[in-house]
Amino acid sequence: MREAAVEVEHVSKKFRLFKEKNNSLKATIMRGRRVVAEDFWAVRDVSFEVARGEAFGLIGENGSGKSTMLKCLTRIYRPESGRIAINGKVSALLELGAGFHPELTGRENVFLNGAILGLTQKELRRRFDGIVEFAGIGKFIDEPVKNYSSGMYVRLGFSVAINVDPEVLLVDEVLAVGDENFQRRCNEQFADLKAQGCTIVLVSHAMTSVQNMCDRVAWMEHGRVREIGDTRDVIEHYTGSVQVGRETDGSGHPRWGSGEGQVSRVELLDEAGRRVDRLVSGAPATIRIHYEMHEPVAQPVFACYLATITGQPVSAPNTRAEGCVPDKLDGLGHVDLRLDEVRLLPGTYDLTPVLSDLTMMKVFDQRQNLLRFDVERGSIHEEWGVTTLSPRWEIAPEG
Amino acid sequence: MTTLAEYRSSRELYNNLTLRELRSKYKRSFLGWAWSLLNPLANTLVYTVLFGVLFHAHPPAGGPSHLQVYALYLLCALLPWNYFTIGVMGSVGSLISNANLIKKTYFPRELLPASSVGAALVSHLIEMGLLLVVLLTFGDYWAIEWLPMTVVLVALTTVFGLGLGLLFSVLNVYFRDIEHFLSIFFLLWLYATPIVYPTTVLAGHHLPGTHIPALQVLEINPMTEMASMFRDTMFYGRAPGGWALLYFAAWALGALVVGLRVFERMGARLAEEL
């Protein structure tokens, strides 16, 4: 029998947007009412089901209602209408270490946080050593948590939440914190939990983690579910739609920067210098960035961020790393990025050109995913991954 | 809706929150727990000098204990009063000071004001235990005899404080004035209750410009009954008045019902309002 672990039926959640918020009696009495409010439906008529043991992703742009939906699932928000049923023990990771009290020690906070997540003292005592060990806190466990580094704080919070053996785990973007080592361990833990049959609902912007973890995905837009289905399909439609939206509306490009100089367009050229719309794996190619400086710009740096369409970074060649920085640029011109060999494996990639100052901290112009292009099969015959190391194999049998 | 089953399952959490309240209160202070005793002692000293010595207030005689010590007479009512106000005032700020917890985790929110009252109760029980020992050294053995009734009174005071705590804590989220208003209100309420002075002071007095006896008005205040009942069972060693008990119990239960209802209604949007 396929029993649903999470059932969401026609859930709507409204927020009141306060034009002016009064928290004082005086203002209330003077005006005769408390607030001047406008309704805003953050979640509208959302329905979905998550099967037991399934990993389910909620994706969408900022303000699409995915985090609000998750907070409804955790019961932090009470929806206006609709029904939510969760079958099984729930643990939520909304913000790691959210329940910590700064004056109390790590030990005291573990017990408090564990109790919030529904563990009894007995269970907590049994798991305590494991929690501390996983967090890597060591002897600091008896120090007040306000003396912890942010990393220790987050690790301890994660360790408690993950050690309650949840049947349903609700996660919001927490994977984005901590160092790489910690993130890797988080991902391993999620994979373990999933293998043990834990149901996971994940809200994330990072398409890579959604792609890696989730079986199915719901794409939310303006508070409604736009599409539910197989992870790969939905993510493709989602990233595709974002792309289409940009192309049809030139001014709607996600683009930022101070604007002293700008990237006007990007072109792909083949070996012979002809404009092409796709590259060939293993063949030479040139990426040409056209710029326009509105004033003399000292020591500009050009960079080319390459990523897969799911957002996985591939490479980011830049002129500074190659020591190719002019003293000053003004007016129009272009920069060529020459590749002796396109080392990308066949697939679709997004290119983000960035124009910045020498520190690369001050961005003059960044045009997110300005160009999407395909790489077709050529002289490279590898299949796994996104790039090649251009390997040379040697086999040396002995005897 | 917060269900009964949920309350039961959150007992562990309740204990933890109460412990946290107690621990964090005196963390990093040299005297720690002793502070919870020094405060009522200082109060007693002031009131005893002011009313007992300067105004010659005497506890009205009566009861089998025949105690005459003003300081003890005072403490028998002052300690429950302090417990009541600390419990309510602690609850009032409990939701706002735990905003982070409310916005990021789920548990029955009633636990926060309840744990403030719980923490106050723990301190109160210690104080009352010490007071009991002092009463015994003064030969008031009847205080032991009436101990079960005293426990009932503490329970009723807890219910009353919890009711007001729930009510005002959630109102305070919407109207932050409540907290400031209450601190003045409790000061006035203290003097509208015969705690630092005996009721005999008011005997024969009327409300200004009327023929209504002041004592009669005072008895509308449920805390008057509370104070007199605690004195009955602890100081005088006699049974509290039946009507007084009923009247106070009615107020306490009424406050709890109203508090729970308002909390249930207004508590749904806490995570957004904070």
Side-chain angles (χ1 to χ4, degrees), chain A residues 59-281:
Chain A
I59 60 172
E61 292 186 28
N62 284 334
S64 59
K66 55 191 192 308
S67 288
T68 305
M69 186 64 236
L70 198 76
K71 282 195 169 180
C72 289
L73 290 179
T74 57
R75 302 180 59 189
I76 291 172
Y77 288 159
R78 193 184 297 185
E80 254 60 43
S81 60
R83 192 182 75 95
I84 294 176
I86 298 189
N87 307 311
K89 187 156 119 193
V90 183
S91 179
L93 285 170
L94 294 193
E95 189 178 290
L96 296 174
F100 286 175
H101 190 293
E103 291 286 345
L104 298 182
T105 67
R107 181 186 302 272
E108 289 161 344
N109 271 308
V110 165
F111 278 86
L112 178 68
N113 225 6
I116 289 177
L117 294 167
L119 281 192
T120 64
Q121 299 298 295
K122 220 171 88 185
E123 286 174 298
L124 271 168
R125 266 193 290 276
R126 194 159 52 76
R127 289 157 200 252
F128 186 78
D129 291 338
I131 291 173
V132 177
E133 197 191 342
F134 182 84
I137 298 290
K139 60 184 192 311
F140 290 101
I141 193 67
D142 287 313
E143 287 284 316
V145 295
K146 65 173 182 183
N147 296 341
Y148 282 20
S149 71
S150 58
M152 288 160 73
Y153 200 87
V154 161
R155 287 203 302 273
L156 191 60
F158 181 81
S159 186
V160 178
I162 215 80
N163 272 294
V164 302
D165 287 346
E167 288 165 310
V168 178
L169 184 65
L170 309 170
V171 190
D172 190 357
E173 298 280 11
V174 288
L175 297 170
V177 298
D179 55 24
E180 222 161 293
N181 181 35
F182 175 68
Q183 288 195 14
R184 203 190 62 243
R185 286 204 297 166
C186 289
N187 282 322
E188 282 170 11
Q189 278 292 317
F190 284 133
D192 282 356
L193 279 172
K194 201 176 159 227
Q196 288 158 25
C198 174
T199 310
I200 298 175
V201 179
L202 170 76
V203 165
S204 186
H205 275 117
M207 288 305 139
T208 329
S209 23
V210 176
Q211 182 102 52
N212 290 341
M213 280 180 54
C214 297
D215 304 312
R216 283 195 313 138
V217 166
W219 164 18
M220 289 187 69
E221 197 176 62
H222 307 305
R224 296 177 191 272
V225 172
R226 168 118 179 226
E227 188 183 351
I228 295 186
D230 180 70
T231 303
R232 184 177 289 273
D233 295 344
V234 178
I235 286 183
E236 203 155 294
H237 297 163
Y238 168 64
T239 45
S241 100
V242 176
Q243 183 71 11
V244 169
R246 285 190 194 121
E247 278 172 355
T248 51
D249 179 9
S251 60
H253 284 241
R255 174 177 193 167
W256 55 90
S258 49
E260 288 89 336
Q262 289 185 317
V263 173
S264 39
R265 64 198 154 90
V266 176
E267 288 170 341
L268 303 178
L269 308 175
D270 69 5
E271 204 175 350
R274 284 184 302 254
R275 278 192 61 183
V276 290
D277 58 0
R278 55 187 54 208
L279 300 181
V280 179
S281 193

Side-chain angles (χ1 to χ4, degrees), chain B residues 82-271:
Chain B
N82 279 348
Y83 162 48
F84 178 71
T85 52
I86 292 170
V88 175
M89 289 306 288
S91 302
V92 169
S94 64
L95 296 178
I96 292 170
S97 61
N98 286 298
N100 199 31
L101 217 52
I102 291 173
K103 283 195 273 192
K104 298 292 177 188
T105 56
Y106 177 77
F107 55 89
R109 276 62 168 105
E110 289 89 338
L111 293 181
L112 287 171
S115 67
S116 293
V117 175
L121 177 62
V122 172
S123 304
H124 179 55
L125 290 179
I126 294 170
E127 292 161 20
M128 291 295 263
L130 289 175
L131 176 60
L132 195 63
V133 171
V134 174
L135 285 172
L136 288 177
T137 60
F138 276 80
D140 178 8
Y141 304 113
W142 292 270
I144 288 285
E145 195 184 321
W146 285 102
L147 189 59
M149 185 45 103
T150 307
V151 171
V152 171
L153 292 177
V154 171
L156 285 176
T157 311
T158 305
V159 169
F160 198 10
L162 184 61
L164 293 191
L166 285 168
L167 176 69
F168 290 128
S169 65
V170 75
L171 287 178
N172 193 40
V173 172
Y174 293 82
F175 304 106
R176 307 275 161 117
D177 303 52
I178 298 275
E179 207 164 345
H180 310 292
F181 163 76
L182 280 181
S183 53
I184 297 175
F185 179 75
F186 271 108
L187 184 68
L188 297 179
W189 200 358
L190 171 64
Y191 287 99
T193 309
I195 287 175
V196 296
Y197 54 90
T199 45
T200 44
V201 174
L202 291 171
H205 284 66
H206 295 85
L207 278 195
T210 64
H211 293 290
I212 308 166
L215 271 177
Q216 216 168 317
V217 177
L218 214 59
E219 273 167 15
I220 298 172
N221 172 6
M223 294 313 270
T224 302
E225 276 76 16
M226 183 217 70
S228 79
M229 287 191 296
F230 269 107
R231 281 177 176 145
D232 283 335
T233 61
M234 295 188 75
F235 186 76
Y236 293 115
R238 66 190 178 199
W243 277 113
L245 189 60
L246 269 180
Y247 185 71
F248 184 59
W251 268 91
L253 289 175
L256 185 65
V257 169
V258 171
L260 279 173
R261 282 211 154 164
V262 172
F263 199 97
E264 166 68 25
R265 254 184 70 104
M266 299 184 77
R269 287 186 166 272
L270 276 183

Side-chain angles (χ1 to χ4, degrees), chain B residues 7-89:
Chain B
Y7 278 123
R8 218 169 300 143
S9 71
S10 41
R11 213 184 58 227
E12 297 266 354
L13 175 57
Y14 176 72
N15 294 341
N16 259 292
L17 286 170
T18 308
L19 264 179
R20 183 187 73 159
E21 194 88 0
L22 287 168
R23 280 188 185 131
S24 60
K25 198 168 175 186
Y26 298 111
K27 265 260 147 103
R28 301 166 62 83
S29 69
F30 180 65
L31 290 177
W33 275 86
W35 283 114
S36 79
L37 296 175
L38 287 174
N39 198 1
L41 281 180
N43 268 327
T44 310
L45 189 71
V46 170
Y47 292 133
T48 307
V49 169
L50 196 62
F51 292 93
V53 179
L54 294 179
F55 294 159
H56 304 291
H58 290 293
S65 73
H66 297 294
L67 275 181
Q68 285 290 320
V69 187
Y70 175 77
L72 292 180
Y73 177 78
L74 177 67
L75 274 171
C76 286
L78 186 64
L79 290 185
W81 168 268
N82 279 348
Y83 162 48
F84 178 71
T85 52
I86 292 170
V88 175
M89 289 306 288

